[in-house]
Amino acid sequence: MQEIWRSVELPAPLETDALVQQNLSTRTELEAWVEAQKTRILEEKRTDQLQSQEHARATDEAQRKREMLQIEHQKLITDTHTKERELNASQMEIEVLQAEKSRREPVVKQLFDKTVEEDVKLKQLLTESQKQRTTQKQQLQELKQGLSMYQKLGLFFEHSKVDNCNEDVASLNNLVTMLNETGDLALFIRSMRRMFKQLV
């Protein structure tokens, strides 16, 4: 049996260049995508780290503020207790002062009334003293006028003097001088009588 050889057409050669180019393009895109994913993951990781650090700082700050608030709260409690003790002491002192005031008010009122009464008496004494002074000035003026009239008539009064006194009166010279200055014999007699009574 004879084999019949027939020419068989070979398939067309494969276009490998296009496949290689497509493979290279795909590989490049894949590498770019991988790099992009790496970059994104690194960015997210860095962001997470920053957020973690910020959270840690915020936590530390909150803890520090909490401790400070606790210290301030404790100090406030201590200050409150101190103020309460001071307030209680002040209240007791006020009560003592009020009791003392209640005891002293009648005495103060009595002293005030007495002061008013003494002021009235003092004013009366001043008024009487002023009247007496005015009267004495008038009498002295009248005596001076009378003395002047007597001198115009050629009459002169001699100065009085005391040569002897049975009782030693210490202010005798002063009384005589006053008699010579004022001419008030009645005053001289009253003064001598008073001095004698003191000596007896």
Side-chain angles (χ1 to χ4, degrees):
M1 183 174 173
Q2 294 182 348
E3 292 182 0
I4 299 173
W5 292 92
R6 291 181 300 180
S7 61
V8 180
E9 293 182 1
L10 295 175
L14 296 174
E15 294 292 335
T16 57
D17 293 338
L19 291 174
V20 170
Q21 289 296 328
Q22 185 178 2
N23 188 17
L24 289 175
S25 176
T26 303
R27 182 177 179 181
T28 301
E29 291 177 358
L30 182 61
E31 289 177 352
W33 180 82
V34 169
E35 288 297 327
Q37 292 299 316
K38 285 182 179 180
T39 303
R40 183 180 62 80
I41 292 172
L42 290 175
E43 288 293 332
E44 290 178 354
K45 183 178 180 181
R46 186 162 44 249
T47 302
D48 289 340
Q49 289 177 348
L50 291 175
Q51 289 178 351
S52 297
Q53 292 175 358
E54 184 65 26
H55 180 70
R57 281 196 298 270
T59 302
D60 293 340
E61 183 68 18
Q63 182 66 23
R64 188 179 64 82
K65 288 183 178 180
R66 182 172 178 273
E67 292 174 355
M68 290 179 63
L69 287 174
Q70 287 178 345
I71 294 172
E72 290 179 358
H73 179 67
Q74 188 64 34
K75 183 180 178 183
L76 183 61
I77 291 175
T78 304
D79 292 342
T80 302
H81 291 328
T82 303
K83 294 296 183 183
E84 286 178 353
R85 288 194 297 270
E86 292 177 355
L87 182 62
N88 292 332
S90 299
Q91 185 67 30
M92 292 179 61
E93 186 176 356
I94 289 172
E95 291 176 358
V96 171
L97 291 174
Q98 286 178 344
E100 186 69 19
K101 179 185 175 184
S102 299
R103 287 196 301 270
R104 292 189 178 185
E105 275 182 349
V107 178
V108 172
K109 186 177 183 303
Q110 184 179 0
L111 289 174
F112 178 76
D113 294 339
K114 188 173 181 180
T115 302
V116 172
E117 183 180 350
E118 293 296 330
D119 287 341
V120 172
K121 290 181 180 179
L122 180 60
K123 288 180 181 179
Q124 291 177 352
L125 289 174
L126 289 174
T127 302
E128 292 177 0
S129 175
Q130 187 66 30
K131 288 181 180 179
Q132 290 179 359
R133 191 174 300 171
T134 302
T135 302
Q136 288 178 355
K137 285 183 179 180
Q138 291 176 353
Q139 291 177 352
L140 182 60
Q141 186 65 27
E142 291 175 357
L143 288 173
K144 287 182 178 180
Q145 289 178 356
L147 181 61
S148 177
M149 292 177 64
Y150 276 108
Q151 289 177 352
K152 288 180 180 179
L153 294 174
L155 300 175
F156 296 93
F157 291 97
E158 295 181 357
H159 288 286
S160 301
K161 65 178 181 177
V162 177
D163 294 329
N164 189 13
C165 183
N166 289 334
E167 296 292 340
D168 188 11
V169 178
S171 59
L172 178 61
N173 293 331
N174 293 333
L175 294 175
V176 172
T177 301
M178 186 181 299
L179 173 62
N180 290 327
E181 290 177 353
T182 62
D184 192 347
L185 183 60
L187 176 62
F188 176 77
I189 293 172
R190 287 196 303 271
S191 300
M192 287 296 294
R193 185 179 299 162
R194 185 167 55 251
M195 297 300 295
F196 279 128
K197 285 182 179 180
Q198 292 177 359
L199 292 173
V200 174

